[in-house]
Amino acid sequence: MTRVATFGNYQSALLDLMKAQTRAADAQERVSTQKIATDLTGFGRQSETLTALKGAQSRIQGFIETSRAVSARLVTQDLAMMQISDGIAGLRDAVGNVLATDSAGPLMLELEGHFQTIRGGLTMKHHGAYLFAGASTGTTPVTIDALDQLEAAPNVPSVFVNDTLRTASRVAEGTTLETGFLASELGGEVFEILRDLKIYHSGPNGPLTGKVTEAQKTFLIAQLARLEQAAAGVIDKTAQTGSIANQVETVARGQEAQMASLEELVGDRTDADMAVAITDLQLSQVAIQASAQVISQLRQVSLLNYLS
């Protein structure tokens, strides 16, 4: 004769209820996170592959962030170099007007204004760091703020305090781009011309005011040619900045494509099948209800009820 114990029935029903609750919790987690598991343990043999994929994602994301920062810096750098070019163009126009009208007029005031424009470009900052200071980004690369100081300096190189290290950025595995220029190489040539103009103005052949002499014309024609050369040098470096910006953008697009591919690979291994997860959740809820009803009914089939 087989004996049926009340305790055994309760124990079996409770175990079924606990299993159903565990299945419900697992299904609910998959539905809420849309992932198969929330830690590497839950992925079993896939964990090593996922670790490698996540590492690759982290490296590429770092390069993408670097590329974005470099692109933003190059935009500001381009603005600064355009300002320097505008200052040199202003100097050319001022000298050209003197030669065209045979009158220097307010030439020195114009030179001072264009000097300030060029100096502003050379000392421009990006996120609080000087663009053209090399590695010494916290120190202004130009130590003077007026033409008189440029004239009084022992030589032009002495007014630049940037170091010789140009800014370089690692934008991809094995790809490091030199993206920066130095204030001394951008402004050295035009500062030499401005200093010569100021010294000439203060010297025995000056001042450069009123009607200009033939000697002054000859001098100004020579400076105009030098200004043309200085302008060409800055324009060339501006073009290099544009080329570097295009290269960085191309690299960034390639990295974003790699990131999308990696995300798809990771998703194939980690994303839950939502249809299956929702079905499992519904079935487990039904199982919980059924187990609860069984436990409730067991209260009415105790042997004590029959003995009474």
Side-chain angles (χ1 to χ4, degrees), residues 62-72 170-172 248 251-252 255:
F63 288 133
I64 290 174
E65 295 298 329
T66 299
S67 296
R68 289 173 180 167
V70 172
S71 294
R170 186 166 177 258
V171 296
V248 171
V251 171
Q255 290 167 342

Side-chain angles (χ1 to χ4, degrees), residues 119-136:
R119 181 185 177 279
L122 293 172
T123 57
M124 190 174 289
K125 292 182 178 182
H126 176 71
H127 290 174
Y130 289 101
L131 285 169
F132 305 119
S136 303

Side-chain angles (χ1 to χ4, degrees), residues 6 32 35 46 65 74 78 87 106 110 122 132 191 199-200 221 249 261 272-273 287 305-307:
T6 301
S32 60
K35 299 295 180 183
Q46 296 274 19
E65 295 298 329
L74 289 173
D78 181 69
E110 292 183 51
L122 293 172
F132 305 119
F191 272 23
I199 292 173
Y200 189 91
I221 290 172
E249 185 178 349
S261 178
D273 187 326
N305 295 333
Y306 291 99
L307 290 176

Side-chain angles (χ1 to χ4, degrees), residues 133-199:
S136 303
T137 56
T139 303
T140 178
V142 181
T143 59
I144 58 172
D145 52 22
L147 271 180
D148 289 340
Q149 293 175 328
L150 179 60
E151 179 185 11
N155 51 53
V156 168
S158 67
V159 306
F160 293 102
V161 293
N162 57 266
D163 60 26
T164 59
L165 297 176
R166 294 178 179 84
T167 302
S169 304
R170 186 166 177 258
V171 296
E173 292 287 358
T175 303
T176 300
L177 299 177
E178 193 173 85
T179 57
F181 293 95
L182 304 176
S184 55
E185 63 185 1
L186 285 170
E189 191 171 2
V190 68
F191 272 23
E192 291 280 4
I193 299 168
L194 283 168
R195 186 168 184 270
D196 290 345
L197 284 165
K198 193 69 171 66
I199 292 173

Side-chain angles (χ1 to χ4, degrees), residues 34-36 50 53 57 261-272:
Q34 299 184 9
K35 299 295 180 183
I36 296 173
L50 287 173
L53 290 173
Q57 279 185 313
S261 178
L262 285 172
E263 287 176 354
E264 185 176 349
L265 290 173
V266 171
D268 290 342
R269 290 164 172 78
T270 62
D271 291 348

Side-chain angles (χ1 to χ4, degrees), residues 80-93:
M81 297 172 79
M82 289 298 295
Q83 182 172 329
I84 296 169
S85 293
D86 290 343
I88 297 175
L91 290 174
R92 290 160 56 197
D93 290 343

